[in-house]
Amino acid sequence: MTYHAFHTHGESRSSRWLITCDHATNTVPPMVNGGTLGLPQSEMSRHIAYDPGAAGVAHAMADALDAPLITSNFSRLVIDPNRGEDDPTLLMKLYDGTIIPGNRHADAAELERRMELCYRPYHAELGRLAASRRSPVIVALHSFTPQLRGRPPRPWHVALLHTPPQNALSLAMVARLQSEDDLCVGDNEPYAGHQPGDSIHRHALSHDRPHVLIEVRQDLIATVEQQRAWGRRLAPHLVAALADCKE
């Protein structure tokens, strides 16, 4: 059985934009624990397994920007592509109160096997796509849960995560979105910045490439129509924000 750790859409497009979606799916490859992590579908449908709605927004945004898109084809519970190779949360055994049975006995050898199967092919392709474009601008699409267990509701509709000093595009995007009267915009909320070795650090910060990481609240992108609407809404703001950075 042939397994691909990623899907690439629109590679022939000439735009300098490159859209990524690290947590696009809750797929467990058949080579990993027989294709299951021992969790019921109700748990695999939660944010612990992937970023619900993010892939749909990413596709709509890529189409609007005439940009290529890369999406992962494995659950973050298999291995998290948005972590550095030495990050202790790369392979989670407990996530937001849920024990992951299929990861309970995963040792260093199993971690290495999953890195070779999923993590490294995904990052190799992302790196290839970025290197193949002239002056690429990387946009990472994620989604966040409206509320973690035992925590207060999150008010933000959309958020930008960034780390100075290479955050000019993010700051311009924050300003653009904050000009919209109907949006509550998170500026490094509900999380802050980037972590060493994560996708933006690896493919943007380390290469001094302009970039932005966008998070959209999951209840706002639950349907295909909502996902398309958000992708189309965000795309022109990205173009304008990039122009702002050149002034």
Side-chain angles (χ1 to χ4, degrees), residues 7 9 19-26 50-63 69-73 140-144 214 216 218 221-224 226-228 230-231:
H7 295 298
H9 173 73
I19 316 302
T20 73
C21 190
D22 292 340
H23 300 142
T25 180
N26 58 3
Y50 74 126
D51 281 357
V57 177
H59 272 279
M61 178 183 290
D63 290 345
L69 163 69
I70 179 172
T71 60
S72 65
N73 190 32
L141 246 297
H142 293 262
S143 69
F144 64 94
I214 302 174
V216 184
Q218 289 165 8
I221 50 174
T223 68
V224 172
Q226 289 174 320
Q227 293 159 21
R228 289 174 177 166
W230 270 96

Side-chain angles (χ1 to χ4, degrees), residues 20 36-38 52 60 67 97 105 115 163 185 199 207:
T20 73
T36 177
L37 294 175
H105 301 296
M115 290 181 75
T163 301
V185 182
S199 285
H207 299 273

Side-chain angles (χ1 to χ4, degrees), residues 138 166 194-211:
I138 296 177
Q166 295 170 290
H194 304 293
Q195 301 176 7
D198 68 10
S199 285
I200 287 293
H201 182 270
R202 183 169 184 162
H203 299 286
L205 290 170
S206 295
H207 299 273
D208 199 25
R209 291 168 176 152
H211 61 276

Side-chain angles (χ1 to χ4, degrees), residues 13-236:
R13 293 172 172 175
S14 59
S15 169
R16 65 182 295 201
W17 298 96
L18 171 57
I19 316 302
T20 73
C21 190
D22 292 340
H23 300 142
T25 180
N26 58 3
T27 300
V28 180
M31 305 81 162
V32 175
N33 205 44
T36 177
L37 294 175
L39 292 172
Q41 186 58 39
S42 59
E43 291 287 357
M44 291 300 294
S45 297
R46 295 178 60 217
H47 72 282
I48 63 171
Y50 74 126
D51 281 357
V57 177
H59 272 279
M61 178 183 290
D63 290 345
L65 293 171
D66 195 32
L69 163 69
I70 179 172
T71 60
S72 65
N73 190 32
F74 53 93
S75 170
R76 76 203 312 167
L77 293 179
V78 172
I79 192 166
D80 195 333
N82 196 32
R83 296 289 186 271
E85 292 200 12
D86 60 351
D87 193 304
T89 65
L90 190 61
L91 196 161
M92 297 288 282
K93 300 186 178 185
L94 175 69
Y95 198 152
D96 191 25
T98 296
I99 295 173
I100 319 302
N103 292 347
R104 184 191 297 269
H105 301 296
D107 56 12
E110 176 63 12
L111 173 61
E112 177 65 21
R113 194 175 74 85
R114 295 188 193 184
M115 290 181 75
E116 284 296 305
L117 177 68
C118 301
Y119 183 98
R120 290 182 181 131
Y122 173 78
H123 281 291
E125 176 68 359
L126 203 169
R128 186 190 69 80
L129 286 171
S132 70
R133 317 204 74 73
R134 183 175 180 180
S135 303
V137 183
I138 296 177
V139 182
L141 246 297
H142 293 262
S143 69
F144 64 94
T145 182
Q147 185 176 12
L148 289 176
R149 287 177 175 175
R151 304 287 183 88
R154 292 165 164 172
W156 311 282
H157 301 108
V158 59
L160 283 295
L161 310 188
H162 54 91
T163 301
Q166 295 170 290
N167 59 344
L169 181 57
S170 296
L171 294 177
M173 190 66 174
V174 167
R176 284 279 172 180
L177 292 175
Q178 286 180 339
S179 70
E180 299 284 327
D181 293 337
D182 62 332
L183 292 181
C184 178
V185 182
D187 184 356
N188 271 339
E189 298 282 359
Y191 329 106
H194 304 293
Q195 301 176 7
D198 68 10
S199 285
I200 287 293
H201 182 270
R202 183 169 184 162
H203 299 286
L205 290 170
S206 295
H207 299 273
D208 199 25
R209 291 168 176 152
H211 61 276
V212 62
L213 190 155
I214 302 174
E215 297 255 7
V216 184
R217 206 175 70 203
Q218 289 165 8
D219 59 313
L220 303 178
I221 50 174
T223 68
V224 172
E225 291 76 15
Q226 289 174 320
Q227 293 159 21
R228 289 174 177 166
W230 270 96
R232 293 166 181 165
R233 181 175 186 176
L234 290 169

